[in-house]
Amino acid sequence: MEIHIGNRVADVTLVSKEGNKVQLTIDGVPYDVDIVMAENGSCSILHDGQSYNAELIRKEGGKSYTVNAHYQSYNIDIIDSQAKYLRMRKGAEERQQDKIVSPMPGKVVKVLVKEGDCLQAGDIVVVIEAMKMQSNYKVNSECVVKEILVKEGDSVNSNQVIMTLDVKKTDE
């Protein structure tokens, strides 16, 4: 399934679930976590010996959430693959913005492109680590890397512009 966290898109696959133990992949990287949910929407997550607490607030429609963790709030949208396919067929696919923005604070692990690179939809441009999890950031349409504003090892803030793009114009 595809999950949107702010402007970031993650491909998440549930590999297995047995009780509280969950195996999943995020952008192809495997994770083993132990998740305990409380009735009030609070959850406790154990990963690699580290404990994390979060509050999940379900929005109308059931496919969107606000997640409060580490004194920050994140808007999460779960994208139904079939609905996305139908939207694409109707030509209503979201257009790539002219920049890549970090939806949360983190550390730049890898920059996978250089200025002037021509990109296709789905190309990964940067990997950022936040809360001990690495996230791949992709473009969703054809574009050219205009300017890279970070380097590997840099810390980034929420809503910080990471790179700017020249998006290829398409005929409407």
Side-chain angles (χ1 to χ4, degrees):
M1 83 184 99
E2 188 174 286
I3 297 181
H4 294 200
I5 307 167
N7 292 330
R8 187 220 184 281
V9 177
D11 179 35
V12 179
T13 303
L14 178 63
V15 176
S16 69
K17 182 180 184 310
E18 188 174 316
N20 295 332
K21 301 210 181 292
V22 177
Q23 289 185 320
L24 54 105
T25 62
I26 302 174
D27 293 324
V29 178
Y31 293 92
D32 291 320
V33 294
D34 195 331
I35 302 173
V36 177
M37 294 295 299
E39 288 183 27
N40 63 1
S42 296
C43 72
S44 177
I45 303 165
L46 184 64
H47 172 65
D48 279 347
Q50 297 287 325
S51 179
Y52 305 93
N53 292 312
E55 175 188 36
L56 298 155
I57 302 168
R58 182 180 232 166
K59 296 180 185 176
E60 287 185 33
K63 296 278 186 183
S64 296
Y65 298 83
T66 298
V67 177
N68 298 316
H70 297 283
Y71 307 104
Q72 300 253 348
S73 288
Y74 305 98
N75 290 315
I76 310 283
D77 295 307
I78 300 171
I79 306 303
D80 179 343
S81 299
Q82 184 176 10
K84 182 179 179 184
Y85 172 75
L86 293 172
R87 206 172 56 242
M88 287 172 62
R89 288 201 48 177
K90 291 179 182 175
E93 177 71 350
E94 290 180 22
R95 300 209 185 281
Q96 175 67 50
Q97 294 183 2
D98 64 349
K99 60 191 169 210
I100 302 291
V101 177
S102 178
M104 64 185 79
K107 178 181 173 185
V108 178
V109 175
K110 189 130 184 90
V111 177
L112 299 166
V113 296
K114 60 186 182 306
E115 291 177 7
D117 280 357
C118 295
L119 306 174
Q120 300 297 316
D123 286 351
I124 299 170
V125 295
V126 66
V127 179
I128 295 179
E129 182 177 285
M131 298 184 295
K132 302 219 182 242
M133 293 185 68
Q134 291 186 2
S135 302
N136 295 334
Y137 292 79
K138 305 174 185 179
V139 294
N140 61 10
S141 62
E142 196 173 336
C143 57
V144 175
V145 178
K146 188 173 173 182
E147 185 178 14
I148 299 172
L149 303 169
V150 297
K151 62 185 180 308
E152 292 176 11
D154 283 356
S155 292
V156 292
N157 296 314
S158 184
N159 298 318
Q160 179 177 338
V161 177
I162 296 170
M163 66 182 64
T164 59
L165 308 167
D166 278 327
V167 180
K168 182 177 178 187
K169 305 290 184 230
T170 56
D171 295 333
E172 302 273 343

